[in-house]
Amino acid sequence: MPGVALRKLDPGDYQNVIAKLDAWWGGRHMSDMLPKLFFVHFASTSLAAVTGDGSLAGFLVGFVSPTLAGEAYIHFVGVDPQRRGEGLGRRLYEAFFDLARARGCDRVTAVTSPVNTGSIAFHLAMGFEPQPGAQKLNGIWVHPDYDGPGEDRVVFKKAI
Ligand SMILES: CC(C)(COP(=O)(O)OP(=O)(O)OC[C@H]1O[C@@H](n2cnc3c(N)ncnc32)[C@H](O)[C@@H]1OP(=O)(O)O)[C@@H](O)C(=O)NCCC(=O)NCCS
């Protein structure tokens, strides 16, 4: 996408991201799941997509698992609603795959909510596979209560 550059995320990006987060997620309250610690401790494996005037077009927060050897994890990805469908989400993911490979990873995990059908479609398009769970919803494996009571999740994995 011309005019949008990727750079490492910075703790100074926090207020800007958090101000946009809930709106970018269609009004869902998401900011509690993205405390500043991610911007401080995982900045070296997280990305900002910025336009020529410095405004935020998208971001990705990810890290290399300190426990599961060879595994990287994408916690959040968001693209400005005005810029969706132009390949920026794919670009952020592919840049993260490069960062993860350079750190010895051979697979990436991402977890999303079953109500987030856009995220599910995006991950399927990116070649992620839903990991078998206890139920299927609309043909997709779901892990009931994965993040606590009533907090079902779809768990995606992809070899990189
Ligand atoms: C999910 C999200 C990051 C995708 O960003 P994007 O820049 O629009 O995605 P891209 O244009 O790079 O699309 C990549 C692929 O995913 C597909 N895709 C993306 N969003 C889709 C949707 N809502 N429905 C169907 N397919 C979709 C595209 O068709 C494309 O497929 P292709 O490359 O085979 O043609 C963006 O919609 C977003 O920010 N959503 C809100 C936040 C969110 O839910 N994040 C994910 C959970 S953390």
Side-chain angles (χ1 to χ4, degrees):
M1 180 193 297
V4 176
L6 302 191
R7 61 162 171 77
K8 293 280 170 65
L9 202 63
D10 186 86
D13 291 314
Y14 184 67
Q15 295 302 338
N16 192 15
V17 170
I18 226 67
K20 299 177 191 306
L21 200 67
D22 293 356
W24 283 16
W25 261 253
R28 291 173 65 204
H29 181 65
M30 302 301 290
S31 47
D32 290 352
M33 290 173 62
L34 195 58
K36 189 164 182 174
L37 71 88
F38 285 98
F39 290 61
V40 175
H41 296 285
F42 301 121
S44 62
T45 50
S46 298
L47 297 158
V50 288
T51 60
D53 66 4
S55 64
L56 190 74
F59 72 98
L60 180 153
V61 172
F63 55 87
V64 172
S65 173
T67 302
L68 304 176
E71 186 152 328
Y73 185 87
I74 297 174
H75 181 51
F76 261 71
V77 62
V79 168
D80 183 335
Q82 304 298 321
R83 292 183 170 267
R84 290 191 188 157
E86 299 175 10
L88 185 52
R90 177 177 284 281
R91 209 173 134 196
L92 284 161
Y93 261 45
E94 286 175 351
F96 179 78
F97 298 161
D98 287 344
L99 286 170
R101 278 188 210 102
R103 288 160 174 75
C105 295
D106 60 10
R107 61 195 185 280
V108 175
T109 300
V111 171
T112 201
S113 167
V115 300
N116 195 343
T117 51
S119 174
I120 290 170
F122 170 71
H123 283 94
L124 293 173
M126 292 300 303
F128 281 76
E129 292 179 2
Q131 301 303 290
Q135 294 176 1
K136 271 193 174 181
L137 186 67
N138 301 323
I140 298 284
W141 284 115
V142 169
H143 296 248
D145 301 331
Y146 182 87
D147 271 335
E151 299 295 333
D152 303 350
R153 298 289 182 264
V154 179
V155 179
F156 283 109
K157 260 190 212 302
K158 176 184 167 65
I160 58 170

